[in-house]
């Protein structure tokens, strides 16, 4: 019984029993690749920089 007691002490029982499932958020880039028609891309050249903006299209 001592061995089992020591093992239980080292384990965090609450984390094992009540571990929350984390929802993974898709990155905006992954969403654009999966569904490009739902997004609007704007690119602006300023000096030697290109600024790209990604926006969701407004659903009508």
């Amino acid at each position: 019984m001592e061995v089992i007691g020591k093992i239980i002490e080292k384990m965090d029982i609450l984390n094992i029993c009540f571990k929350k499932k984390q929802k993974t958020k898709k990155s905006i880039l992954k969403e654009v690749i999966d569904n490009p028609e739902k997004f609007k891309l704007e690119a602006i050249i300023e000096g030697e920089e290109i600024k790209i903006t990604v926006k969701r299209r407004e659903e009508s």
Side-chain angles (χ1 to χ4, degrees), residues 36-41 54-60:
E37 62 276 352
K38 289 187 176 184
F39 294 89
K40 178 173 66 171
L41 275 69
V54 178
K55 295 182 182 180
R56 294 187 194 279
R57 289 189 186 267
E58 294 178 8
E59 294 183 24
S60 46

Side-chain angles (χ1 to χ4, degrees), residues 12 16-17 20 26-27 33 39-40 50 52 58-59:
D12 190 358
I16 293 172
C17 295
K20 291 183 180 179
K26 283 188 175 179
S27 71
I33 291 170
F39 294 89
K40 178 173 66 171
I50 299 174
I52 299 173
E58 294 178 8
E59 294 183 24

